[in-house]
């Protein structure tokens, strides 16, 4: 697949449709301040027909989530012409959230499915929500990849979550398991060692490839050092191999996973656990869109640490995507895989 370049920092976000309002803006109100940054980048002329705000409820951070929701509603109301919709959902139930989106889709869907004007701000979403939301937009609605923006946050050498509540296979990413093959587990690592380690123990894979951000964002080598130290126990286990991946380049991550897949597909079932950055999770989606045999797994944390509230928003990045990539490509690739079996 073609490489689409590096992410671009943006100070001002223009509308996509030069002749009128965009179709849809989707974001998420979380307890992190950076969930506000995308809307604060709107240009003076930015207009959109509909906006959708997901509100992932978090009992320990209700005050912060509600405060950010009010700010998002105020900002969006100034740029949205026909309606701002709020979808309240539970952290561990993305299927219900997507069901609510489906209920309003006939009202808010783009006017022209061949030329949609959709922007997705991924900054406040959890990774499992991103996978489910993109699957709905790209695979089910065949709208292609939307414009995606992401606001980074300041680095702090602390764990992001505590404990593991449950391990699950991500809906629509169940994969195809052959009992004649061993398991290769690919873990995208970050600052959540308990979550990735729990998945490793659950699968007890014959081989594990751990991917870690290197070079780190903005050349912060202490980030890399802490991420490796944070995951030291897992990285020291037999059969675990460490490889590098870019922090904010979805196609770079997709290409790395593609290389691994072609290396092992004849001998191993490939299972992927996305516990790195959100742009890396977009890379996982791009890869799995073309390889339905790969399984994606996720572990829900017991709680989020207070360190999130101490992190300041960083730059807002425009992720370089290929808008035309959609379900038609996915179907063609699946047909080719079936013919090769």
């Amino acid at each position: 697949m073609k490489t689409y370049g590096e992410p671009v920092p943006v100070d001002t976000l223009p509308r996509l449709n030069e002749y009128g309002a965009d179709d849809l803006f989707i974001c998420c109100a979380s307890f992190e301040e950076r969930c506000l940054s995308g809307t604060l980048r709107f240009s003076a002329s930015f207009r959109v027909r509909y906006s959708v705000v997901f509100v992932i409820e978090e009992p320990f951070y209700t005050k912060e989530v509600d405060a950010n929701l009010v700010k998002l509603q105020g900002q969006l109301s100034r740029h949205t012409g026909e309606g701002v919709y709020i979808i309240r959902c539970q952290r561990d139930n993305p299927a219900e959230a997507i069901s609510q989106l489906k209920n309003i889709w006939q009202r808010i869907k783009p006017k022209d499915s061949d030329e949609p004007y959709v922007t997705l701000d991924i900054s406040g979403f959890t990774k499992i929500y991103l996978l489910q939301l993109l699957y709905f937009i790209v695979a089910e609605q065949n709208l292609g990849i939307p414009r995606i923006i992401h606001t980074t946050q300041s680095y702090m050498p602390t764990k992001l979550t505590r404990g593991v509540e449950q391990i699950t296979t991500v809906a629509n990413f169940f994969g195809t398991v052959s009992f004649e093959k061993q398991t290769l587990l690919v873990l995208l690592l970050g600052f959540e060692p308990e979550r990735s380690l729990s998945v490793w123990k659950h699968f007890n894979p014959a081989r594990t490839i751990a991917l870690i951000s290197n070079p780190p964002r903005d050349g912060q080598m202490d980030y890399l050092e802490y991420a490796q130290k944070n995951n030291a126990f897992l990285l020291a286990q037999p059969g675990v191999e460490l490889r590098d991946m870019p922090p904010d380049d979805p196609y770079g991550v997709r290409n790395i996973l593609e290389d691994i897949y072609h290396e092992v597909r004849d001998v191993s079932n490939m299972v992927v656990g996305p516990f790195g950055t959100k742009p890396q999770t977009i890379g996982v989606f791009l890869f799995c869109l073309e390889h339905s045999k790969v399984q994606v797994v996720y572990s829900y944390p017991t709680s989020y640490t207070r360190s999130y509230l101490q992190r300041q928003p960083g730059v807002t990045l425009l992720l370089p995507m290929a808008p035309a990539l959609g379900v038609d490509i996915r179907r063609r690739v699946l047909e080719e895989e079936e013919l090769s079996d």
Side-chain angles (χ1 to χ4, degrees), residues 80-301:
T80 306
E82 300 182 42
V84 178
Y85 288 86
I86 308 300
I87 295 179
R88 288 191 173 271
C89 40
Q90 301 297 315
R91 183 183 63 181
D92 58 354
N93 197 356
E96 168 59 23
I98 300 302
S99 177
Q100 291 184 53
L101 180 61
K102 290 179 179 179
N103 289 338
I104 63 173
W105 189 252
Q106 288 304 312
R107 276 174 277 172
I108 68 172
K109 67 180 182 180
K111 292 181 178 179
D112 184 354
S113 60
D114 292 329
E115 193 173 7
Y117 300 104
V118 180
T119 299
L120 171 61
D121 183 352
I122 68 174
S123 309
F125 285 98
T126 65
K127 299 175 184 72
I128 193 170
Y129 266 82
L130 285 179
L131 291 170
Q132 294 294 273
L133 181 57
L134 281 170
Y135 188 88
F136 173 75
I137 293 172
V138 178
E140 293 187 9
Q141 299 304 315
N142 197 20
L143 292 180
I145 303 292
R147 175 171 66 176
I148 297 179
I149 60 173
H150 172 61
T151 300
T152 65
Q153 60 185 358
S154 61
Y155 160 71
M156 293 182 66
T158 54
K159 292 183 180 180
L160 300 180
T161 58
R162 294 190 185 94
V164 175
E165 195 169 271
Q166 64 170 308
I167 299 172
T168 185
T169 301
V170 180
N172 301 311
F173 299 87
F174 294 111
T176 303
V177 177
S178 170
F179 294 103
E180 299 176 355
K181 297 179 180 179
Q182 295 181 323
T183 296
L184 168 75
L185 179 62
V186 181
L187 290 172
L188 286 71
L189 300 182
F191 293 166
E192 301 175 276
E194 293 169 307
R195 296 175 67 187
S196 52
L197 185 61
S198 68
V199 169
W200 180 79
K201 290 180 177 179
H202 176 81
F203 280 91
N204 189 27
R207 181 185 176 194
T208 301
I209 296 178
L211 300 176
I212 200 163
S213 297
N214 188 31
R217 185 182 292 150
D218 300 325
Q220 296 181 345
M221 297 310 295
D222 52 345
Y223 172 103
L224 175 61
E225 181 180 350
Y226 182 73
Q228 291 176 331
K229 181 179 179 181
N230 214 24
N231 295 281
F233 181 80
L234 173 63
L235 296 176
Q237 300 307 305
V240 177
E241 174 188 343
L242 179 62
R243 297 188 186 182
D244 298 335
M245 65 176 170
D248 299 310
D249 178 3
Y251 281 98
V253 172
R254 179 260 169 211
N255 292 339
I256 290 169
L257 293 173
E258 183 75 21
D259 290 341
I260 294 172
Y261 177 78
H262 286 290
E263 176 187 336
V264 305
R265 63 180 178 178
D266 294 331
V267 295
S268 299
N269 297 307
M270 186 169 169
V271 180
V272 180
F275 301 107
T277 69
K278 292 169 186 178
Q280 289 167 350
T281 303
I282 304 300
V284 171
F285 172 79
L286 294 173
F287 168 72
C288 291
L289 189 66
E290 299 178 80
H291 299 290
S292 64
K293 293 183 178 180
V294 175
Q295 185 179 85
V296 181
V297 294
Y298 187 81
S299 58
Y300 289 96

Side-chain angles (χ1 to χ4, degrees), residues 27-29 35-36 39 53 68-77:
C27 64
C28 179
C35 74
L36 307 172
T39 59
V53 184
N68 286 336
L69 173 60
V70 170
K71 293 176 182 177
L72 279 172
Q73 287 178 294
Q75 182 69 3
L76 288 170
S77 66

